[in-house]
Amino acid sequence: MKETRDLEILSVNAIRFLAIDAVEKARSGHPGMPMGMAPLAYLLFREVMRHNPLDPAWPDRDRFVLSAGHGSMLLYAVLHLTGYDLPLEELKRFRQWGSKTPGHPERGHTPGVEVTTGPLGQGISTAVGLALAERKLAAEFNRPGHVVVDHYTYVLASDGDLMEGVSGEAASLAGHWGLSKLIVFWDDNRISIDGPTDLAFTEDVLARYRAYGWQTLRVEDVNDLEALRKAIKLAKLDERPTLIAVRSHIGFGSPKQDSAKAHGEPLGPEAVEATRRNLGWPYPPFVVPEEVYRHMDMREKGRAWQEAWEKALEAYARAYPDLYQELMRRLRGELSPLPEAPPAFDKPTATRAASGRALNLLAPRLPELLGGSADLTPSNNTKAEGMEDFSRANPLGRYLHFGVREHAMGAILNGLNLHGGYRAYGGTFLVFSDYMRPAIRLAALMEVPTVFVFTHDSIALGEDGPTHQPVEHLMSLRAMPNLFVIRPADAYETFYAWLVALRRKEGPTALVLTRQAVPLLSPEKAKGLLRGGYVLEDVEEPQGVLVATGSEVHLALRAQALLREKGVRVRVVSLPSFELFAAQPEAYRKEVLPPGLPVVAVEAGASLGWERYAHKVVALDRFGASAPYPEVYERLGFTPERVAEAFLSLV
């Protein structure tokens, strides 16, 4: 028993010193949290979690999310020691260009990293989506005697994670939904960058989480592995998600223990040597005893777990061949065939309503499609016909009511899509995209195909006034790398926008939709949306181009008619997606927007950014106003006459 305990301590200290040495070599990083929480990382990866370093993408693995992403060396050290493809050389290159060990964990970049974390609160909130996906897949596919979906989501969260508002939103939903396989460890080290957490954080956190509907537990010393084991066993017996407050010491064993100095900077050579003496670690930097590598190597166990699951899956395939084929298709991320033709429309239609009609057509063909709204379902039109509400009692439901929680909604959608087996979307007003911007940004960074449905896209909100009328939002979203922003001009373009969003696997898509009805274009012409921009109405030997997006496309068409009366020939281009258009061959782009022709752009939003395409812009660089929307448009200059005048001023 003593030998086992000695080996446990040696392994825990190996995690600590790999973190210390990497931060010291980089002269940058956060050594304190890894030093404090090394015992928990050791226990989870060595004993508690079912995972396979040889196949980090094994579908039924337990997930681990380091929400406290600043402590990334904790994760890198334990991944290295347990046998993931993360060699020691990569730890020595911590925070360096091109290394597999960036300053904060990045999904898809480092084997074993489930979620890109760093912005505090996002990791724990995304983990709610991971746990939700497990709950839903298990309900959908498991059968008596054939359990093929059965795994936990573990989270290591910091004080900062629990201070951020998004984590409260997500935790409230996790408790409401009863996500019992979500277990969160709170690193209760009582230190933040500014100093002791009681400078700003004195609430009863466990009472708050109990109020959310969580089980709460406390472990008084993270070094007490037996107490951690007991807490995890209790967590697994409860029908609620569990928050375990774990008392730790930041910078454990160093002269800077329990001080803010141990948080976000290297310990320094003298403190490192003192820590080596204090913890009885005689080894040079980056040297780990072989017995630790042997003890922590999880490759054989991981292979055995996965092989056992694959055998269970073979039995499942024999008993339920149709379910097996469907589960495999969805885990591979393959879409069922999508309809090529849009539904028929017979009158002017708001693109938000057209989006709802598109969902009615798509949802029956895509059982993996699920989504919801931040308490704006009737306005966002995000609930397809026949979709049942998801609840604790009805885990088969495909519609998610997020309540007024845009921030958490974005992160949870990302978690659902990261997990595999689902394609998730969520809706709110475009102006509230600001509330979920960190989640949108992380979706783009992680290349997660989340679909964000943003309705009420302009000053056409009218009476609700400037607080609800987005002005700068379109361009601010377009500025985000790897986010496709699509603002369709009519019902048919909206259908094709959904096809683009669902077929896209390399990143998220924002669908930007009108509140007001807009005239219909021809379905054949609207198909041009698939290329991001296209010639909607052409003329012989055009003297220039009017280019617009969304509802303003129809304004450009009316301006074209006015100019025709004056003997001026202009082409009208619909440009619903800058990003999709930019991805087209240069020859096509020049065909649509010929170099040398004067171009006027029309959009009821900020003008910044249009200079890449237009010589003059009819736009809005001020906030809106409260009035019926036709009057708002007219008073703010969105009229055919003004557009025509803008073009004439160029020629």
Side-chain angles (χ1 to χ4, degrees), residues 119 414 436-446 452 480-481 483 508:
N414 288 344
M436 56 199 300
R437 192 175 185 88
I440 301 170
R441 187 172 187 271
L442 284 175
L445 185 59
M446 291 188 285
F452 299 101
M480 190 179 294
L483 172 67

Side-chain angles (χ1 to χ4, degrees), residues 260-282:
K261 285 287 185 182
H263 177 82
E265 59 188 58
L267 295 178
E270 290 183 8
V272 169
E273 287 309 309
T275 307
R276 277 182 155 77
R277 290 193 299 273
N278 292 343
L279 295 179
W281 187 259

Side-chain angles (χ1 to χ4, degrees), residues 532-550:
Y534 63 98
V535 178
L536 176 60
E537 290 293 339
D538 211 356
V539 294
E540 289 187 12
E541 298 181 4
Q543 296 168 269
V545 180
L546 302 180
V547 58
T549 76

